[in-house]
């Protein structure tokens, strides 16, 4: 029995795994940034983004379809990509410019 039911199932599975990777990267990046960077950039708090991206990561994880079913991604998977996309496109560039005090720049 083949692992994938169709070529479409392969594409959907790869996109879902890529969405999971994007969301995981955004979540880890938000955790690594100092809390002061979010205030400096006039963005919501670090806790807000950590919780939002943590929930998005969980949703992205459960949205990865079974490769044998050929199921399409649900709205929860799409919402997780939107949350990660907003962080990556708007918040991350703003908080990266923060240079705090201290020997390492944090």
């Amino acid at each position: 029995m083949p692992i994938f039911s169709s070529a479409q199932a392969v594409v959907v599975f790869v996109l879902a795994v890529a969405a999971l990777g994007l969301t995981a990267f955004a979540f880890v990046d938000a955790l690594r940034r100092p809390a002061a960077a979010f205030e400096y950039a006039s963005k919501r708090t670090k806790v807000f983004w950590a919780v939002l991206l943590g929930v998005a990561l969980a949703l992205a994880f459960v949205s990865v379809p079974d490769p044998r079913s050929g199921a399409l991604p649900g709205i929860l998977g799409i919402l997780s990509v939107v949350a990660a996309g907003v962080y990556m496109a708007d918040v991350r560039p703003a908080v990266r410019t923060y240079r705090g005090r201290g020997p390492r720049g944090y």
Side-chain angles (χ1 to χ4, degrees):
M1 178 179 212
I3 294 176
F4 294 102
S5 61
S6 67
Q8 180 184 14
V10 173
V11 171
V12 169
F13 182 76
V14 168
L15 289 175
V17 170
L20 178 63
L22 172 71
T23 309
F25 179 81
F27 177 66
V28 170
D29 186 75
L31 291 179
R32 293 182 64 212
R33 302 287 171 194
F38 292 87
E39 295 173 18
Y40 170 80
S42 298
K43 301 297 176 185
R44 290 197 176 249
T45 65
K46 177 179 180 170
V47 172
F48 172 83
W49 284 107
V51 169
L52 181 71
L53 292 170
V55 170
L57 180 59
L59 293 176
F61 179 75
V62 298
S63 296
V64 175
D66 181 9
R68 296 169 292 194
S69 70
L72 293 175
I75 189 73
L76 298 178
I78 295 169
L79 289 175
S80 69
V81 170
V82 169
V86 168
Y87 176 81
M88 295 297 291
D90 182 43
V91 178
R92 185 172 187 255
V95 298
R96 286 180 73 187
T97 62
Y98 176 74
R99 297 288 180 246
R101 297 181 188 161
R104 294 179 52 203
Y106 291 103

